[in-house]
Amino acid sequence: MLETFAQVAKAATASSTWAGLTGFQWAIFGAAIAFVGGGMGSAIGITYVSNVSSGILVEDPDKFGTMLPLLAIPGTQGIYGLITAILVTFFFNLSKISAHTGMLVFFSCLPVAFVCCVSAIFQGLTAASASAMVARRTEELGKAMVLPALVETYAVFSLILTIYLFTRIPK
Amino acid sequence: MEVDPYMTRAMKTFFKVPRYGTACGRVMMKEATLLNWQRVERILESGFDEALGVLLETESGKYLAGAKVAADVENGLMNFLIEEYRFLDEICSGTLVSAFLHLKYDFHNMKVLFKEEITGMAHDEGILLGELGTVDTEEMRLSVSRHRRGYLPALLEESIETIRTGLDKRGNDPQMVDTIADRLFLEARLKLAVLEKSRFLVNFATSALDLANLKVLLRGVALGKERSFYEEAFATGGKIPRHTLMELSSESPERISARLLTTRYGRMLSPVLDVADKRVRLTTLDKQSDEYIMEQCARMSRVAIGPERIVRYILRRENEVVLLRIILMGKLHGLTPEAIEERIAVICGSRSY
């Protein structure tokens, strides 16, 4: 597996394109997939928690302020995706990037793309369940926030890993 | 391409939230208004008028305000339940959960109307629960008396036809109406659960169907019923197949006990089927089957989003109505709090009702 990867990297280094894409295209592809993954997950996650929250708000519209943090929390993964996409342009000179570096940028973006997508969906489910605590007792918001926040940890780890990998890619 | 059933089950979690999320959110808010045991104790300790005052702090209070006699309490509680079912209809539009829960009232009305036709005697006022069913009682009356066809949902229309055929075959016996209608209700509810594609609803309907079949079998054997009775009474679709139950119906009580104790209901049936005494404790059977259903309800509380939460809420509301009826009627008839509490324990099982 590692050998195959090394061969692929070598081939990419040798040529100006790899699999028909230039370094610039690979880097942009990576940035785009990081944002698409994070954004898609966040949209689904927020939809889940919004479904439950809208039911709670129909019964008690005064709970809007209390529900807002739970509604917003799955949205952070979309922000991580956006940060990753922007960081690609900050870390690398896209006009002069080689196919090899571009491909490495692409692979470095994958942790954010996948982990943020999946964690946002599950965070939405967790936040939807945690809404029951807030529905019954508003003062339990702190405890209710801890549960989806635990899911958030892994999205943060994926962002840290992606940024770390960016720093390790030779410019 | 064949889809892995485990994958399908896992994927259902993601579809449950968009389907039941809003309804569960509304139920979450209403759950906070359910009668708790502390309030029940306050009601128990107070007199009738004070109890109504305590109830004003709850959802049912406004329906019972100013009640003086048993009929007022009965009407108030019925209006409260009707309002809860209206809430259910509102939150469950687009799903079959509401129909699943309403169905028992449709079949109750059907039975009352059939019996009314057979005996030629008008029913007591209040027995027909038109507003709790999905179908207007007058429409059902017309269908039952063959004046109109095709106006009711197919499931009810078919059931009316089956009851009629059964009565034509076995004679116009009100008892037979109960036997056939109860079977058809269980089968129809299972059909709805399957249509809703909810594993919980299917399991719930299947367990209820199995328990009803077991009651029929054990009572039938104790009363020495004939094979034709079982043919009409056993519902199909349960975990214990109908043909197995038919075979068991002609066996000795010892063999029935031995076979049933090895089924998934063995643990529930063990206090009922006393192997050492070689007898069946029918009085324990109802209590055991109720506790089995309550166990299932307790399991529902682990599910945050799904039809489980909605069904559990409605069952708890129905239980609340039963509880309030016992307490308020007891108070009207001058029973002591201890005597009322004893009745609650017998009917509602435990304090966690």
Side-chain angles (χ1 to χ4, degrees), chain B residues 242-300:
Chain B
R242 194 170 186 269
H243 64 83
T244 308
L245 291 163
M246 286 302 291
E247 277 170 26
L248 283 173
S249 66
S250 53
E251 299 278 358
S252 65
E254 295 88 65
R255 260 192 72 75
I256 294 173
S257 299
R259 287 278 296 275
L260 290 181
L261 287 172
T262 59
T263 63
R264 62 193 341 240
Y265 302 101
R267 189 172 61 87
M268 185 273 289
L269 286 172
S270 57
V272 180
L273 306 168
D274 201 326
V275 181
D277 277 6
K278 290 184 182 175
R279 69 193 186 110
V280 178
R281 294 174 202 275
L282 289 174
T283 44
T284 322
L285 181 61
D286 284 327
K287 198 177 164 220
Q288 283 296 110
S289 64
D290 285 350
E291 277 182 15
Y292 188 85
I293 295 287
M294 287 310 281
E295 245 177 62
Q296 281 211 328
C297 289
R299 266 186 235 144
M300 290 178 213

Side-chain angles (χ1 to χ4, degrees), chain B residues 85-123:
Chain B
Y85 267 89
R86 278 192 193 133
F87 168 72
L88 176 76
D89 293 340
E90 195 184 319
I91 64 169
C92 288
S93 59
T95 72
L96 291 170
V97 178
S98 171
F100 182 87
L101 289 163
H102 271 295
L103 201 65
K104 65 177 169 192
Y105 297 108
D106 282 326
F107 273 87
H108 167 88
N109 292 339
M110 200 187 288
K111 283 199 280 189
V112 172
L113 293 169
F114 262 110
K115 283 180 192 170
E116 191 182 280
E117 197 189 80
I118 290 170
T119 57
M121 286 159 66
H123 57 265

Side-chain angles (χ1 to χ4, degrees), chain B residues 101-152:
Chain B
L101 289 163
H102 271 295
L103 201 65
K104 65 177 169 192
Y105 297 108
D106 282 326
F107 273 87
H108 167 88
N109 292 339
M110 200 187 288
K111 283 199 280 189
V112 172
L113 293 169
F114 262 110
K115 283 180 192 170
E116 191 182 280
E117 197 189 80
I118 290 170
T119 57
M121 286 159 66
H123 57 265
D124 291 337
E125 206 178 315
I127 284 189
L128 267 180
L129 304 170
E131 292 194 71
L132 287 172
T134 50
V135 174
D136 180 59
T137 42
E138 275 316 301
E139 295 218 344
M140 192 175 277
R141 190 192 299 274
L142 289 170
S143 293
V144 166
S145 57
R146 299 187 199 193
H147 287 115
R148 252 167 74 167
R149 274 189 190 177
Y151 283 87
L152 298 188

Side-chain angles (χ1 to χ4, degrees), chain B residues 302-321:
Chain B
R302 294 177 206 155
V303 180
I305 316 289
E308 294 86 342
R309 190 159 210 137
I310 304 164
V311 172
R312 182 167 179 256
Y313 171 75
I314 291 294
L315 292 181
R316 288 184 71 184
R317 272 293 186 222
E318 285 184 345
N319 222 347
E320 188 176 313
V321 167

Side-chain angles (χ1 to χ4, degrees), chain A residues 74-162:
Chain A
T76 51
Q77 279 85 341
I79 300 171
Y80 300 158
L82 183 67
I83 291 172
T84 307
I86 292 170
L87 282 181
V88 169
T89 62
F90 273 106
F91 269 88
F92 308 98
N93 185 355
L94 294 183
S95 57
K96 290 179 185 166
I97 199 165
S98 68
H100 171 237
T101 312
M103 197 185 67
L104 291 177
V105 170
F106 169 76
F107 282 116
S108 303
C109 288
L110 292 185
V112 163
F114 286 109
V115 177
C116 283
C117 182
V118 174
S119 70
I121 295 170
F122 280 98
Q123 197 171 41
L125 288 174
T126 317
S129 307
S131 307
M133 290 166 77
V134 184
R136 212 171 278 187
R137 281 187 292 269
T138 313
E139 62 275 14
E140 299 288 346
L141 176 66
K143 286 177 196 162
M145 282 293 289
V146 171
L147 310 177
L150 290 172
V151 185
E152 181 80 11
T153 323
Y154 298 93
V156 175
F157 287 166
S158 72
L159 180 66
I160 293 171
L161 178 66
T162 295

Side-chain angles (χ1 to χ4, degrees), chain A residues 21 23-35 106 109:
Chain A
L21 296 180
F24 172 78
Q25 287 166 332
W26 272 113
I28 292 294
F29 189 22
I33 206 164
F35 181 69
F106 169 76
C109 288

